[in-house]
Amino acid sequence: MIVVKNLTKDFKGTPVLKGIDEHIQKGEKVVIIGPSGSGKSTFLRCLNLMETPTGGEIYFDGEKISGLPYYENHSFAFRRFRRQHPSAHDINQLRMRMGMVFQHFNLFPHLTIQNNITLAPVKLKLMSEEEANLKARELLERVGLPDKADAYPSQLSGGQKQRVAIARALAMNPEVMLFDEPTSALDPEMVGEVLQLMKQLADDGMTMVVVTHEMGFAKEVASRVLFMADGVIVEQNTPDEFFAHPNSPRLQEFLSKVL
Amino acid sequence: MNFIESFRQNFIEADRWKYLADGLGTTLLITLLAVTIGMLLGFFVAVIRATYLRTGRFRIADWFCRLYLTVIRGTPVVVQLLIIYFVIFASVPISKTFVAVIAFGINSGAYVAEIVRGGIMAIDTGQLEAGRSLGLNYSRTMIYIILPQALKNVLPALANEAIVLLKETSVAGYIAIADLTKGGDIIRSQTFSAFLPLLAVAVIYLVMVVVLTKLVGLLEGRLAANDRR
């Protein structure tokens, strides 16, 4: 579903990703762990072009999405490109198919919970307002917050905010969900409710890419665990093998610190 | 000459109070239209500046915006008014009030632009990322997510800018517009008494500013109450 070839990313000349090759299949739950500064968040953010890759290629559903004038659908460069490639999708069409959940939730504070969820589907004309409202109610039910539709984000706890953020992403019916350290900003007692919801999502068959420090979640939910350090994927394996028999000394050292 | 007699001479005799009333009307008209132009222009410039600073797009437009801000904020408003009237519209037969509206609008736009840009830049980049990650393009994210939040934060500052502009229009007399200040001055030149006409002018400005400031205060209170919900 997502194919990454020799992906590199520099921030002002400092290399952050140094050549990543990765193939994420439909239905997989890929968990990425690694020390801070290892480039795992940057890698995740490259997948939906939140960061523009410096080099390499990214394919989504067989379509090359990197290195092209995708950046804005109304840019002249993209219009010219689409005249030659009429079937090409612009970045916004691609992002509609990839949900993203952030460390700091990034709910829209000026909108009610319901409007947080319905804004994008309605403005992008994927649903009518009534359909979107129904969908929002249904999603809030699913994330366990059916009574919060008319509340504002500031009235919610951290865990509740993150569950709403997940519902907001799901409202677009994405094919893959990207999680960027979804529990790192939460109080310890709220981590569980968010992980529980993510586990449900995984059980429902969603394709997921998760950057996290929650080793328990990786063990329980992942179909594959990647270990990143210094801008490369050092090691990857099924969770059982990954935690029981780490090969590289770098991973052994990391696991001995966090477990 | 006692106070009542002086009052009668300055305001009642020959209907001189009309200079003040008409002048007040002109002042309010210029202020209202100039504020409108200033807000529109300011928002436009602010969005271009913020977009350039955040994404690197609109580099050339941003350069022109910065030139505009530097020139307008670096020169006195009276000089701008005179240049627009005597140089730019020199050979065009045009209403002086219109010239003043243009001049004060352009001037105010520069200050509004910096206020609004500050408001936009103060919104966490996570808001932009969240909007973009849902598939909204940059303009939609701006319109539905960033600007409503930014506008709410800068509303009091914008209202203050409008109050400042109300007072600044008092230099419209430089191009012989009979605004409130000029109205008082005309009375002074006819009656040769400066105290009462100018005092009246000052009091009228003061009352308007105090009332408007009070309204801004109420507005700020309402917005703050909203945040606490």
Side-chain angles (χ1 to χ4, degrees):
Chain A
M1 179 172 231
I2 303 176
V3 178
V4 178
K5 288 181 185 166
N6 195 28
L7 175 67
T8 58
K9 172 72 183 172
D10 295 359
F11 282 115
K12 291 180 181 147
T14 312
V16 178
L17 299 179
K18 301 172 184 166
I20 293 193
D21 292 283
E22 186 47 47
H23 192 159
I24 295 162
Q25 308 277 0
K26 197 170 174 61
E28 265 197 307
K29 295 101 186 60
V30 176
V31 173
I32 306 169
I33 64 171
S36 55
S38 59
K40 50 193 193 308
S41 275
T42 307
F43 170 55
L44 187 81
R45 290 162 56 82
C46 280
L47 295 181
N48 65 351
L49 302 191
M50 277 290 140
E51 304 289 350
T52 312
T54 308
E57 292 162 13
I58 301 173
Y59 295 84
F60 180 66
D61 231 5
E63 186 176 354
K64 187 175 172 188
I65 63 171
S66 61
L68 294 170
Y70 272 127
Y71 201 69
E72 292 299 334
N73 58 349
H74 41 69
S75 71
F76 291 118
F78 182 73
R79 284 182 193 167
R80 203 176 312 127
F81 175 77
R82 182 125 77 178
R83 273 201 290 279
Q84 285 145 18
H85 306 265
S87 65
H89 293 97
D90 65 57
I91 182 60
N92 300 311
Q93 291 172 312
L94 291 166
R95 282 181 182 148
M96 283 183 217
R97 296 157 66 189
M98 300 193 232
M100 190 168 211
V101 176
F102 301 87
Q103 180 177 358
H104 296 288
F105 331 127
N106 298 344
L107 294 182
F108 308 132
H110 61 303
L111 299 176
T112 62
I113 297 307
Q114 170 145 320
N115 289 340
N116 262 274
I117 297 173
T118 59
L119 177 78
V122 171
K123 296 299 176 197
L124 293 169
K125 301 196 166 56
L126 299 179
M127 297 175 198
S128 70
E129 206 149 335
E130 298 82 65
E131 284 171 335
N133 286 341
L134 269 174
K135 176 96 184 170
R137 300 276 166 177
E138 185 190 308
L139 283 166
L140 284 175
E141 195 82 43
R142 187 165 163 197
V143 302
L145 298 165
D147 52 337
K148 297 293 185 192
D150 299 319
Y152 281 84
S154 57
Q155 297 167 310
L156 268 53
S157 73
Q160 291 173 331
K161 282 182 195 167
Q162 195 61 297
R163 280 144 69 193
V164 170
I166 292 173
R168 180 177 67 180
L170 289 175
M172 299 293 291
N173 293 320
E175 295 160 38
V176 50
M177 289 280 285
L178 310 176
F179 292 85
D180 188 3
E181 302 200 22
T183 57
S184 298
L186 295 176
D187 290 341
E189 78 258 39
M190 292 169 183
V191 171
E193 61 191 72
V194 172
L195 291 181
Q196 188 58 38
L197 174 61
M198 289 167 64
K199 191 172 174 314
Q200 264 176 43
L201 207 57
D203 292 342
D204 292 346
M206 177 63 78
T207 310
M208 294 164 62
V209 185
V210 184
V211 171
T212 187
H213 295 291
E214 297 294 328
M215 298 303 148
F217 178 81
K219 274 182 195 165
E220 200 181 343
V221 177
S223 50
R224 199 147 55 91
V225 185
L226 310 185
F227 175 66
M228 280 186 71
D230 302 321
V232 292
I233 297 175
V234 176
E235 185 167 344
Q236 57 169 301
N237 217 326
T238 59
D240 294 344
E241 282 296 305
F242 185 90
F243 289 104
H245 308 291
N247 285 321
S248 69
R250 191 79 180 79
L251 175 56
Q252 286 165 4
E253 184 199 334
F254 179 77
L255 288 178
S256 73
K257 278 183 195 156
V258 297
L259 287 179
Chain B
M1 193 157 53
N2 66 30
F3 177 79
I4 293 174
E5 201 178 319
S6 170
F7 186 89
R8 198 187 54 78
Q9 188 204 14
N10 277 305
F11 300 123
I12 313 291
E13 206 173 84
D15 280 344
R16 292 206 174 97
W17 59 274
K18 278 191 175 163
Y19 287 116
L20 294 182
D22 293 349
L24 176 61
T26 306
T27 291
L28 288 176
L29 179 73
I30 292 175
T31 305
L32 201 68
L33 294 178
V35 163
T36 311
I37 292 178
M39 295 286 165
L40 293 175
L41 192 61
F43 260 84
F44 183 70
V45 170
V47 168
I48 288 177
R49 293 270 292 127
T51 302
Y52 172 70
L53 291 167
R54 278 276 165 86
T55 70
R57 292 165 61 216
F58 299 145
R59 198 168 58 86
I60 296 166
D62 176 73
W63 188 87
F64 280 104
C65 288
R66 270 187 298 139
L67 180 70
Y68 159 71
L69 295 178
T70 308
V71 170
I72 295 299
R73 297 196 302 164
T75 54
V77 63
V78 182
V79 176
Q80 292 162 19
L81 180 69
L82 292 175
I83 287 176
I84 290 179
Y85 183 61
F86 289 111
V87 181
I88 296 174
F89 287 119
S91 54
V92 191
I94 201 166
S95 143
K96 278 184 258 187
T97 309
F98 179 77
V99 171
V101 166
I102 298 286
F104 290 117
I106 290 175
N107 179 270
S108 179
Y111 295 92
V112 170
E114 287 301 87
I115 293 171
V116 174
R117 184 178 67 86
I120 294 174
M121 302 293 281
I123 304 296
D124 183 57
T125 46
Q127 293 291 309
L128 179 65
E129 291 186 350
R132 298 305 309 268
S133 80
L134 289 164
L136 296 165
N137 64 22
Y138 184 85
S139 344
R140 280 183 168 139
T141 307
M142 208 61 181
I143 292 167
Y144 298 120
I145 298 169
I146 311 286
L147 283 179
Q149 296 181 54
L151 185 61
K152 187 181 156 188
N153 292 343
V154 300
L155 215 47
L158 288 181
N160 278 324
E161 167 59 24
I163 293 173
V164 168
L165 190 63
L166 173 72
K167 289 181 288 175
E168 273 190 351
T169 58
S170 60
V171 298
Y174 269 89
I175 60 169
I177 288 175
D179 73 326
L180 178 58
T181 307
K182 190 74 179 176
D185 208 41
I186 291 170
I187 298 176
R188 182 190 58 78
S189 68
Q190 291 181 357
T191 62
F192 301 110
S193 75
F195 180 69
L196 271 186
L198 295 182
L199 184 73
V201 167
V203 166
I204 296 172
Y205 277 115
L206 186 65
V207 167
M208 288 193 294
V209 169
V210 166
V211 169
L212 287 173
T213 307
K214 197 85 188 163
L215 289 177
V216 174
L218 289 176
L219 184 73
E220 266 179 283
R222 283 275 306 274
L223 293 178
N226 264 345
D227 283 340
R228 264 180 261 117
R229 84 189 146 199

PDB file of all heavy atoms in Angstrom, chain A residues 40-51:
ATOM      1  N   LYS A  40      12.074   9.056  13.596  1.00  0.00           N
ATOM      2  CA  LYS A  40      10.862   8.255  13.394  1.00  0.00           C
ATOM      3  C   LYS A  40       9.637   9.113  13.106  1.00  0.00           C
ATOM      4  O   LYS A  40       8.835   8.788  12.228  1.00  0.00           O
ATOM      5  CB  LYS A  40      10.618   7.309  14.589  1.00  0.00           C
ATOM      6  CG  LYS A  40      10.656   7.946  15.958  1.00  0.00           C
ATOM      7  CD  LYS A  40      10.722   6.875  17.034  1.00  0.00           C
ATOM      8  CE  LYS A  40      10.451   7.433  18.419  1.00  0.00           C
ATOM      9  NZ  LYS A  40      11.272   8.605  18.795  1.00  0.00           N
ATOM     10  N   SER A  41       9.517  10.254  13.805  1.00  0.00           N
ATOM     11  CA  SER A  41       8.396  11.147  13.514  1.00  0.00           C
ATOM     12  C   SER A  41       8.526  11.751  12.119  1.00  0.00           C
ATOM     13  O   SER A  41       7.544  11.874  11.387  1.00  0.00           O
ATOM     14  CB  SER A  41       8.318  12.282  14.544  1.00  0.00           C
ATOM     15  OG  SER A  41       7.596  11.857  15.672  1.00  0.00           O
ATOM     16  N   THR A  42       9.739  12.130  11.756  1.00  0.00           N
ATOM     17  CA  THR A  42       9.966  12.702  10.434  1.00  0.00           C
ATOM     18  C   THR A  42       9.591  11.696   9.348  1.00  0.00           C
ATOM     19  O   THR A  42       8.967  12.053   8.344  1.00  0.00           O
ATOM     20  CB  THR A  42      11.441  13.117  10.287  1.00  0.00           C
ATOM     21  OG1 THR A  42      11.792  13.957  11.375  1.00  0.00           O
ATOM     22  CG2 THR A  42      11.677  13.846   8.982  1.00  0.00           C
ATOM     23  N   PHE A  43       9.968  10.440   9.567  1.00  0.00           N
ATOM     24  CA  PHE A  43       9.619   9.388   8.603  1.00  0.00           C
ATOM     25  C   PHE A  43       8.100   9.304   8.445  1.00  0.00           C
ATOM     26  O   PHE A  43       7.568   9.306   7.336  1.00  0.00           O
ATOM     27  CB  PHE A  43      10.199   8.052   9.073  1.00  0.00           C
ATOM     28  CG  PHE A  43       9.713   6.866   8.291  1.00  0.00           C
ATOM     29  CD1 PHE A  43       9.859   6.829   6.907  1.00  0.00           C
ATOM     30  CD2 PHE A  43       9.100   5.791   8.929  1.00  0.00           C
ATOM     31  CE1 PHE A  43       9.403   5.737   6.181  1.00  0.00           C
ATOM     32  CE2 PHE A  43       8.645   4.701   8.208  1.00  0.00           C
ATOM     33  CZ  PHE A  43       8.787   4.677   6.835  1.00  0.00           C
ATOM     34  N   LEU A  44       7.402   9.272   9.578  1.00  0.00           N
ATOM     35  CA  LEU A  44       5.942   9.178   9.539  1.00  0.00           C
ATOM     36  C   LEU A  44       5.340  10.375   8.808  1.00  0.00           C
ATOM     37  O   LEU A  44       4.433  10.239   7.981  1.00  0.00           O
ATOM     38  CB  LEU A  44       5.387   9.105  10.966  1.00  0.00           C
ATOM     39  CG  LEU A  44       3.892   8.840  11.074  1.00  0.00           C
ATOM     40  CD1 LEU A  44       3.614   7.356  10.924  1.00  0.00           C
ATOM     41  CD2 LEU A  44       3.326   9.348  12.397  1.00  0.00           C
ATOM     42  N   ARG A  45       5.871  11.573   9.106  1.00  0.00           N
ATOM     43  CA  ARG A  45       5.328  12.796   8.514  1.00  0.00           C
ATOM     44  C   ARG A  45       5.649  12.906   7.027  1.00  0.00           C
ATOM     45  O   ARG A  45       4.968  13.628   6.302  1.00  0.00           O
ATOM     46  CB  ARG A  45       5.840  14.019   9.275  1.00  0.00           C
ATOM     47  CG  ARG A  45       5.232  14.137  10.677  1.00  0.00           C
ATOM     48  CD  ARG A  45       6.044  15.058  11.571  1.00  0.00           C
ATOM     49  NE  ARG A  45       6.203  16.387  10.996  1.00  0.00           N
ATOM     50  CZ  ARG A  45       5.278  17.348  11.076  1.00  0.00           C
ATOM     51  NH1 ARG A  45       4.173  17.124  11.736  1.00  0.00           N
ATOM     52  NH2 ARG A  45       5.476  18.513  10.523  1.00  0.00           N
ATOM     53  N   CYS A  46       6.673  12.198   6.577  1.00  0.00           N
ATOM     54  CA  CYS A  46       6.964  12.160   5.139  1.00  0.00           C
ATOM     55  C   CYS A  46       5.904  11.343   4.389  1.00  0.00           C
ATOM     56  O   CYS A  46       5.645  11.584   3.213  1.00  0.00           O
ATOM     57  CB  CYS A  46       8.349  11.568   4.877  1.00  0.00           C
ATOM     58  SG  CYS A  46       9.692  12.749   5.123  1.00  0.00           S
ATOM     59  N   LEU A  47       5.286  10.378   5.076  1.00  0.00           N
ATOM     60  CA  LEU A  47       4.363   9.474   4.394  1.00  0.00           C
ATOM     61  C   LEU A  47       3.151  10.214   3.839  1.00  0.00           C
ATOM     62  O   LEU A  47       2.615   9.837   2.796  1.00  0.00           O
ATOM     63  CB  LEU A  47       3.913   8.350   5.342  1.00  0.00           C
ATOM     64  CG  LEU A  47       5.006   7.381   5.798  1.00  0.00           C
ATOM     65  CD1 LEU A  47       4.430   6.308   6.704  1.00  0.00           C
ATOM     66  CD2 LEU A  47       5.724   6.746   4.606  1.00  0.00           C
ATOM     67  N   ASN A  48       2.677  11.259   4.538  1.00  0.00           N
ATOM     68  CA  ASN A  48       1.587  12.045   3.949  1.00  0.00           C
ATOM     69  C   ASN A  48       2.071  13.429   3.528  1.00  0.00           C
ATOM     70  O   ASN A  48       1.290  14.373   3.423  1.00  0.00           O
ATOM     71  CB  ASN A  48       0.382  12.137   4.889  1.00  0.00           C
ATOM     72  CG  ASN A  48       0.683  12.896   6.169  1.00  0.00           C
ATOM     73  OD1 ASN A  48       1.836  13.213   6.449  1.00  0.00           O
ATOM     74  ND2 ASN A  48      -0.347  13.199   6.931  1.00  0.00           N
ATOM     75  N   LEU A  49       3.364  13.537   3.335  1.00  0.00           N
ATOM     76  CA  LEU A  49       4.009  14.753   2.847  1.00  0.00           C
ATOM     77  C   LEU A  49       3.787  15.959   3.749  1.00  0.00           C
ATOM     78  O   LEU A  49       3.758  17.094   3.271  1.00  0.00           O
ATOM     79  CB  LEU A  49       3.591  15.072   1.405  1.00  0.00           C
ATOM     80  CG  LEU A  49       3.869  13.990   0.357  1.00  0.00           C
ATOM     81  CD1 LEU A  49       3.663  14.556  -1.048  1.00  0.00           C
ATOM     82  CD2 LEU A  49       5.269  13.420   0.455  1.00  0.00           C
ATOM     83  N   MET A  50       3.605  15.722   5.055  1.00  0.00           N
ATOM     84  CA  MET A  50       3.640  16.838   6.001  1.00  0.00           C
ATOM     85  C   MET A  50       5.040  17.447   5.971  1.00  0.00           C
ATOM     86  O   MET A  50       5.229  18.627   6.203  1.00  0.00           O
ATOM     87  CB  MET A  50       3.353  16.343   7.423  1.00  0.00           C
ATOM     88  CG  MET A  50       1.901  16.196   7.763  1.00  0.00           C
ATOM     89  SD  MET A  50       1.117  17.784   7.908  1.00  0.00           S
ATOM     90  CE  MET A  50      -0.407  17.421   7.126  1.00  0.00           C
ATOM     91  N   GLU A  51       6.017  16.571   5.755  1.00  0.00           N
ATOM     92  CA  GLU A  51       7.378  17.016   5.461  1.00  0.00           C
ATOM     93  C   GLU A  51       7.660  16.653   4.013  1.00  0.00           C
ATOM     94  O   GLU A  51       7.271  15.576   3.557  1.00  0.00           O
ATOM     95  CB  GLU A  51       8.410  16.295   6.350  1.00  0.00           C
ATOM     96  CG  GLU A  51       8.192  16.422   7.839  1.00  0.00           C
ATOM     97  CD  GLU A  51       8.482  17.814   8.388  1.00  0.00           C
ATOM     98  OE1 GLU A  51       9.048  18.640   7.628  1.00  0.00           O
ATOM     99  OE2 GLU A  51       8.131  18.061   9.541  1.00  0.00           O
TER     100      GLU A  51
END
